[in-house]
Amino acid sequence: MNESTLQNKMPNTPDGQQERLQELKRLFPDLFDGEGRLKLDDLKQLAGEPSQHKERYDFTWSGKRNAKQAAYSPTTAALTYDEARSVNPDKAGGNLIIEGENLESLKCLLAAYRGAVKCIYIDPPYNTGKDFVYSDNYNEQRKAYWEQTGGVEAGIKVDTNPDSDGRYHSNWLNMIYPRLLLARQLLKDDGVIFVSIDDNEVHNLRKAMDEVFGEENFVAQLLWKRRASSAMADNNVSTDHEYVVCYHKGELNDFAGYEKDFNNYSNPDNDSRGEWVLGDLTVGMTASMRPNQAYDLIDPATSNVFPFNPNRVWAYIPKSMDKLIVEGRVYFPEDSSKRPMLKRYRNELKSTYNPFSSLMMDKVGLNTEATRAIQQILGGNIFDYSKPVSLLKTLLSQACTKPNDTILDFFSGSGVTAQAVLELNKQDNGNRKFILVQLPEQIKADSEAYKAGFKKISDITIERVKRVINGYGNNPQALDAGFKVYQLTKSHFPRVDFKPDPEASEAENLQRLEAYISEKEAQLIGLFEPHEIRDEVLLKNGFRLNYQMQEQPQFTANSVSLANDGEKSALICLDNTLSNKTVDQLLANPQAFICLERALNTDAKWNLRQHLKHLFIAF
């Protein structure tokens, strides 16, 4: 037994310092911050000593500056097409599932999808002390996320965040903050974001989102009843709800709302204003509160008197009531013991009503619905804590009203967001698109999912969406849809692996770099599939991954294709040498052109840059 092990096993005397701190915290919790550290300035103030701290409203935490830097630092990563795991790729239409760490994946999407996403839904770790928190220690000089195996091949390193950690809340905020910053950039101006969360971090999430999206762009903190009453309780209360926090980017007009039921409207008196229904003509105020609305109402046709109720007066002052009577909008009953009513006309009302902040149980199910869905689709208890499809369909149907809206979920879990999108499209013949991002987090070997053949969470994501499309169990009908799978990988360009020799001179390192680039570029086409290079180049130059390629037969000296994603287009050539004839054709009919830099001689490069200017991209 070594010395450190012996020390760990030896009983310790009480830690007097910690005891005193805990007692101070018990008596004066306001002297401690949210992570249990003593606020020295506040303690000095308590002791009557002057404090140098300037008071101001501020929301900060340990690591915030680095978290923001993590969001805005560039990435050299690439998204590589995985054809084998894609489903009906010819019918994908923009549907994507990305297997990889989501911070770097979002950066890869940024050039092409900035301002293109209508709705984002995420269900991030809730920070219960057992959840995974991503370790954002990516660094060019270290192994990237997809190389951090944690001792298991092809895995991703993630850590738990115990509540005993002194940076408990800071760790969580450092994870969510940079991802929210990127999410905002991806949203359209009228886009909206929904974030599922529970009581552990809802307060910090709201503050972080106030800062990222603007406090004025807060929409609602929706309440979702996730389970039936339970005897299990924390802090003497059985928590049966979670939240969905909603913000918009700044130009959201309205949610779709729910259609009103007008079946009880009719027009028995042939009123020229059309169908109507009777509504209350009183308001819940007493006569002492609204004395000018406490008066007797007289039917002008029968002279019947309807006295006011001192506990519930009329809804209008006499002048306004008289106007309603003249217009025939007040219905007087023949029986004076009954109350006059207000005629409410169908054509004067909105056809919809707004969604409520407490999500209605007749539209949104409990988490038992999600459990049943997993069992039906995947054949067992393959995934814990999935959200019900009805929750996602409710949220998306309110925000995504246009047929071609794009929905993003970068904590996609079991893929429920994709299922909600596909089912909504089936209901209304829409063409909404989904983009899912899921970490290839390893599944524990003793779990039912692992025994069923799933090795990573992303395997479950892909398989669920695949079965929803192809049909499953009691829902065998296949959908006319598909998706493409991409993996987050290193760049396909070998030059990014070069490292200068710190002991060599600048001139020597420059010479080494030129030789390295020359050697690697010579191998470029042989080492990688052309479509892998093409995907990376087009994505980083703003082309979405639903681009189509069309061969251009007028170019006979080189293989040239037209890439078009519906928003932008460019000619692209991946040949090792670009002929003078092709250059002449490009100069005669200028348009965006992308090619290998090594394929150009000096004259060709100069001519293309001079004539095509910003339309010319060589890599």
Side-chain angles (χ1 to χ4, degrees), residues 24 41 86 92 117 135 177 252 263-264 310 345 378 386 409 417 433 492 501 530 573 595:
L24 187 63
D41 279 327
S86 299
V117 176
S135 300
Y177 187 63
L252 178 67
N263 290 333
N264 58 340
Y345 296 92
L378 297 175
S386 178
D409 182 350
T417 299
K433 305 168 186 65
H492 297 101
D501 183 353
C573 177
C595 69

Side-chain angles (χ1 to χ4, degrees), residues 121 392 396 407-409 412 415-422 434 436:
Y121 170 80
L392 272 297
L396 298 183
I407 296 94
L408 169 66
D409 182 350
S412 59
V416 63
T417 299
Q419 181 174 350
V421 170
L422 292 167
F434 61 79
L436 306 186

Side-chain angles (χ1 to χ4, degrees), residues 119-124 126 172 176 180 183 187 191-224 241-249 252 255 356-359 387 391-392 395-396 399 408 410:
C119 178
I120 296 174
Y121 170 80
I122 56 173
D123 185 14
Y126 283 5
W172 189 86
I176 199 69
L180 292 176
L187 276 179
V192 62
I193 180 171
F194 298 102
V195 184
S196 283
I197 200 70
D198 70 358
D199 285 316
N200 286 286
E201 294 291 352
V202 66
H203 51 300
N204 283 327
L205 176 66
R206 284 282 303 271
K207 290 176 184 177
M209 295 187 76
D210 280 346
E211 184 169 307
V212 173
F213 293 93
E215 189 174 358
E216 70 280 6
N217 291 327
F218 170 71
V219 177
Q221 185 168 306
L222 306 173
L223 194 71
W224 168 53
H241 70 278
E242 289 181 6
Y243 308 100
V244 181
V245 177
C246 178
Y247 282 73
H248 66 107
K249 193 171 179 180
L252 178 67
F255 283 142
F356 302 138
S357 60
S358 54
L359 295 168
K387 292 295 186 286
L391 172 63
L392 272 297
L395 299 176
L396 298 183
L408 169 66
F410 51 88

